[in-house]
Amino acid sequence: MVKKHRTAFHAKEWAIDLYEAATIEEIQQVEKELQIVLPKVYKEFLSVSNGMHGNLAQLYSTDGLIEMNKTYEVQRYAPGYVSVGNDNGGYHLLMRAVENAVNFQLVSDGYCVPTENDITDNFLSWLDSDEGDPWRNE
């Protein structure tokens, strides 16, 4: 269960709710259940806030990572990727399921296979953006 609280983790205008940090065991459980490696930058995010709900985006908690990746069969339709969030409106935020991944792609729910035409951005730069719109490149 994710416990709500506010924190100062790069919380810009668009960040609404951040949560207590995930434990190492919870993060390891995601990798075990999904049989993937989470990107280091996402693990670091989870170690500060176990998920985030914003007005224009949601970043998944450890439980959400398992649920959403299984529900949308991300590893089947986009092997080698993990969905770490969504835009609350039909797009997934996919990252390569490798430790050194730093970029994400914004991919439609209906297609889920990343293409060169998808919006791509650096996860940490996006998270630290003060522009108010996490999909500023769209």
Side-chain angles (χ1 to χ4, degrees), residues 41-42 45 59 95 102-104 121-127:
V41 294
Y42 204 77
F45 165 73
L59 297 177
M95 295 184 79
V102 294
N103 293 321
F104 69 82
D121 208 340
N122 179 283
F123 181 74
L124 292 176
S125 297
W126 170 79
L127 198 58

Side-chain angles (χ1 to χ4, degrees), residues 14-39:
W14 52 270
I16 295 173
D17 290 314
L18 299 173
Y19 304 94
E20 289 185 23
T23 65
I24 292 170
E25 293 78 17
E26 289 171 319
I27 294 169
Q28 290 171 339
Q29 185 63 30
V30 172
E31 293 178 315
K32 181 179 176 184
E33 282 204 39
L34 296 178
Q35 297 180 347
I36 59 159
V37 173
L38 287 173

Side-chain angles (χ1 to χ4, degrees), residues 52-123:
M52 180 199 82
H53 285 269
N55 59 353
L56 295 174
Q58 172 183 356
L59 297 177
Y60 300 137
S61 65
T62 51
D63 289 341
L65 283 163
I66 294 168
E67 177 185 348
M68 297 305 282
N69 279 273
K70 286 184 175 184
T71 298
Y72 284 94
E73 299 180 279
V74 173
Q75 284 68 47
R76 177 180 176 193
Y77 294 107
Y81 286 85
V82 60
S83 177
V84 297
N86 66 56
D87 72 340
N88 296 319
Y91 286 86
H92 284 276
L93 195 154
L94 294 186
M95 295 184 79
R96 286 206 175 274
V98 295
E99 185 157 351
N100 64 350
V102 294
N103 293 321
F104 69 82
Q105 290 180 275
L106 191 60
V107 179
S108 172
D109 282 350
Y111 297 99
C112 210
V113 178
T115 70
E116 62 186 51
N117 296 328
D118 294 320
I119 305 296
T120 302
D121 208 340
N122 179 283
F123 181 74

